[in-house]
Amino acid sequence: MLQRRIAFLFLAISCFSCSQDETQETNNACALVDCISVSLRLEFVAADSGEDLFSNDTFVIDSLQIINTQTNQAINFNAETLGSGDRTVVVLPTFMESSTLESYQISIPNVFEVAFSFSVEAISDPCCLGNVYSNVAVNSDSVTIENTNFGTYRLLF
């Protein structure tokens, strides 16, 4: 009888201590994955000095407009201040579907107007949601673009 109780106790401890569900396994595996950038990020920078044009008050973030030229709809974007407030990054929404051509007009009325385009691949797997951008370009005589790191681009004025 004692052997049965010990065997039952051992079996119960084994069953309860080894239980893991699929979600817990996925979360543990996802902690080991380095995810890609979620959204396209834009910096507005002086080409000659590298100075952020929102932080130095050359541009006013509240006046910035981003229009999807395919739908003629305004894009709701976020503005994030980084570091000690000397850098402002404009963050576009995450794309849920891939697209071979996204086309936008970025402007501050009476200051500048830039045609901006790119392709986007929407990535979703158990660990990461995000976008991969390619063919990122501006069409402007006075503005160029540079990729600073994955998903972050500088518009050089």
Side-chain angles (χ1 to χ4, degrees):
M1 187 70 159
L2 182 59
Q3 288 178 338
R4 284 187 184 175
R5 286 185 183 177
I6 292 174
F8 178 73
L9 181 62
F10 179 72
L11 182 62
I13 290 172
S14 296
C15 288
F16 291 116
S17 66
C18 294
S19 75
Q20 285 188 334
D21 62 4
E22 192 174 307
T23 303
Q24 187 177 14
E25 289 176 15
T26 301
N27 288 341
N28 291 338
C30 289
L32 302 173
V33 175
D34 214 4
C35 291
I36 59 176
S37 175
V38 174
S39 299
L40 186 76
R41 302 163 63 84
L42 301 173
E43 296 180 30
F44 294 71
V45 177
D48 56 349
S49 67
E51 193 173 13
D52 184 280
L53 296 172
F54 289 114
S55 297
N56 73 5
D57 295 327
T58 300
F59 297 155
V60 178
I61 194 70
D62 292 337
S63 299
L64 183 68
Q65 298 176 355
I66 303 176
I67 306 293
N68 181 322
T69 58
Q70 296 159 322
T71 64
N72 206 30
Q73 297 290 317
I75 300 300
N76 293 322
F77 59 87
N78 292 322
E80 298 176 356
T81 303
L82 304 178
S84 59
D86 60 346
R87 261 183 53 210
T88 300
V89 178
V90 172
V91 182
L92 297 181
T94 302
F95 291 84
M96 301 313 236
E97 296 181 16
S98 297
S99 171
T100 57
L101 179 64
E102 289 292 319
S103 181
Y104 296 88
Q105 192 71 36
I106 301 173
S107 67
I108 293 181
N110 302 318
V111 178
F112 74 85
E113 189 171 283
V114 175
F116 178 67
S117 62
F118 56 91
S119 298
V120 61
E121 179 185 356
I123 305 293
S124 66
D125 65 37
C127 296
C128 297
L129 297 174
N131 298 142
V132 176
Y133 304 96
S134 59
N135 305 319
V136 179
V138 294
N139 186 2
S140 172
D141 293 335
S142 59
V143 179
T144 59
I145 191 164
E146 92 180 354
N147 185 357
T148 60
N149 61 32
F150 191 78
T152 302
Y153 294 85
R154 281 187 178 163
L155 297 178
L156 303 169
F157 289 81

